[in-house]
């Protein structure tokens, strides 16, 4: 089996749920405490053994490229002022991985965004991480999928159980749990109504995909919402018996959603040694007045 070296991270969406903040800046650059969301996602991939990151960007996403690039003037100023710690912080980001960028001319959907990465990925399996989904125990999220990929040799979707009233926000799998960590997916549907959902197991922003997915994506017609849906290509893999679901044992934040974004900031701040005591005391005092 081919080793997994590459990850695709699509960041070309418009982020309309986060307007006006996303009018002139990418939602993936919004910070959790002091680090942009996209950096947490990239670091998760690197910790899982990935060394090459393909970002699918679009109009107005230049700040993401700059974030992972050398910032010459800033570095020079920090060096002259003797701010070694800040300098290291800024420079370390550049050395996280090898970065490549491909452009999605129009945000025609997640399936289309992934297809844009075809030539950068080539004929090898790859991880796919959505640029706005963050997990709190970040080590274990992608790791669970990679383990399922190595156990089965099939494409993998990361899943979590969601409340029935939320199934219409996700791709939902029909996957009988069999006690293992990789359940055979027999069907997958995009944004079903609660009454039509085959289960409450939702696909949540992490995938390991075989390169054959590109052939299915290239043959797609627009699906739900007029977009090219990754779910429709995954449904073909499911019919071919080449798709499994791996449950992700970590808390997830969809940072493109305002409530989840706020929760993520609070929880990430409380994990920080430099903030936990003061911020925790502040929250306790605030909660008494609610
Ligand atoms: P979302 O649906 O969460 O992103 O896509 P969005 O379209 O930017 O969000 P809203 O609904 O308008 O607020 C999940 C991921 O797929 C990327 C997004 O950038 C996000 O990281 N995406 C989505 C693309 O790269 N291209 C697309 O055409 C659509």
């Amino acid at each position: 089996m081919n080793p997994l070296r590459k990850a695709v991270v699509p960041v070309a969406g418009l982020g309309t749920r986060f307007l006006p903040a996303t009018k002139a800046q990418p939602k993936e650059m919004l910070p959790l405490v002091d680090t942009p969301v996209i950096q947490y996602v990239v670091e998760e991939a690197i910790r899982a053994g990935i060394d090459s990151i393909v970002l699918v960007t679009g109009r107005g996403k230049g700040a993401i490229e700059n974030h992972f690039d050398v910032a010459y003037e800033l570095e020079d100023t920090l060096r002259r002022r003797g701010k070694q710690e800040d300098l290291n912080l800024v420079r370390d980001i550049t050395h996280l991985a090898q970065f490549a960028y491909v452009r999605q001319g129009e945000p025609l959907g997640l399936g289309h965004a992934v297809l844009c990465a075809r030539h950068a990925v080539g004929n090898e399996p790859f991880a796919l991480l959505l640029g706005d989904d963050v997990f709190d125990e970040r080590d274990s999220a992608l790791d669970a999928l990679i383990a399922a990929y190595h156990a089965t040799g099939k494409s993998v979707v990361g899943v979590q159980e969601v409340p029935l009233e939320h199934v219409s926000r996700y791709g939902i799998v029909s996957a009988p749990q069999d006690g293992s960590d990789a359940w055979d997916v027999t069907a997958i549907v995009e944004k079903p109504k609660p009454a039509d959902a085959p289960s409450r197991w939702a696909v949540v922003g992490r995938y390991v995909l075989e390169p054959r997915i590109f052939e299915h994506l290239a043959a797609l017609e627009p699906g739900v919402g007029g977009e090219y849906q990754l779910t429709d290509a995954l449904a073909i893999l499911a019919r071919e018996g080449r798709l499994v679901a791996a449950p992700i044992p970590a808390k997830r934040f969809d940072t493109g959603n305002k409530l989840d974004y706020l929760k993520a900031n609070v929880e990430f701040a409380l994990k920080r040694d430099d903030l936990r005591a003061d911020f925790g005391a502040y929250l306790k005092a605030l909660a008494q007045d609610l």
Side-chain angles (χ1 to χ4, degrees):
M1 201 178 300
N2 286 328
L4 207 60
R5 298 182 308 125
K6 291 186 179 168
V8 173
V9 185
V11 292
L14 295 178
T16 54
R17 286 171 296 160
F18 233 116
L19 284 168
T22 48
K23 183 180 173 193
Q25 66 173 332
K27 67 174 171 183
E28 297 82 3
M29 285 301 292
L30 295 174
L32 295 179
V33 188
D34 54 9
T35 302
V37 166
I38 187 66
Q39 189 175 328
Y40 290 101
V41 175
V42 165
E43 286 176 347
E44 177 190 329
I46 290 162
R47 271 197 304 277
I50 303 284
D51 57 23
S52 175
I53 308 280
V54 180
L55 285 139
V56 183
T57 70
R59 195 176 304 279
K61 300 283 180 168
I64 296 175
E65 294 179 39
N66 291 340
H67 183 69
F68 293 110
D69 199 1
V70 174
Y72 176 76
E73 294 88 343
L74 176 62
E75 290 181 22
D76 191 48
T77 306
L78 292 173
R79 196 176 297 112
R80 279 189 285 109
R81 291 185 184 168
K83 302 237 172 195
Q84 193 57 41
E85 237 175 80
D86 288 340
L87 181 62
N88 293 344
L89 205 65
V90 166
R91 291 181 60 167
D92 286 352
I93 299 167
T94 313
H95 299 122
L96 283 174
Q98 265 200 307
F99 291 94
Y101 296 89
V102 297
R103 246 350 233 215
Q104 184 188 24
E106 280 180 89
L108 297 177
L110 181 56
H112 181 257
V114 175
L115 185 59
C116 290
R118 182 177 197 167
H119 294 293
V121 170
N123 192 31
E124 53 181 289
F126 61 101
L128 171 65
L129 298 91
L130 299 196
D132 52 1
D133 261 339
V134 169
F135 292 84
D136 72 343
E137 286 160 19
R138 287 157 294 164
D139 288 350
S140 57
L142 189 56
D143 286 352
L145 278 74
I146 293 177
Y149 170 69
H150 286 306
T152 63
K154 297 180 184 180
S155 294
V156 188
V157 287
V159 292
Q160 290 190 328
E161 209 165 17
V162 297
L164 191 60
E165 62 270 25
H166 291 176
V167 292
S168 56
R169 300 179 187 174
Y170 296 94
I172 301 291
V173 297
S174 170
Q177 298 169 47
D178 57 13
S180 74
D181 292 328
W183 316 327
D184 278 315
V185 175
T186 49
I188 175 167
V189 281
E190 180 66 15
K191 300 189 170 68
K193 293 194 186 110
D196 303 330
S199 76
R200 292 195 289 117
W201 287 97
V203 178
V204 288
R206 296 293 181 269
Y207 312 74
V208 172
L209 298 170
E210 307 168 81
R212 67 196 292 151
I213 190 80
F214 291 125
E215 286 160 40
H216 299 326
L217 287 170
L220 279 189
E221 300 287 336
V224 173
E227 295 191 337
Y228 291 87
Q229 297 288 353
L230 177 63
T231 301
D232 293 342
L234 294 172
I236 303 173
L237 289 183
R239 284 200 292 278
E240 292 172 341
R242 300 231 29 107
L243 187 67
V244 297
I248 297 183
K251 195 164 183 179
R252 163 186 172 260
F253 301 96
D254 170 8
T255 62
N257 165 298
K258 284 171 220 173
L259 183 59
D260 260 21
Y261 177 74
L262 292 170
K263 289 180 187 173
N265 262 297
V266 171
E267 296 207 21
F268 279 51
L270 290 174
K271 282 180 200 287
R272 290 265 299 248
D273 291 341
D274 57 337
L275 291 169
R276 190 185 310 109
D278 289 349
F279 189 51
Y282 167 75
L283 287 178
K284 273 188 197 146
L286 197 66
Q288 276 169 4
D289 295 337
L290 287 179

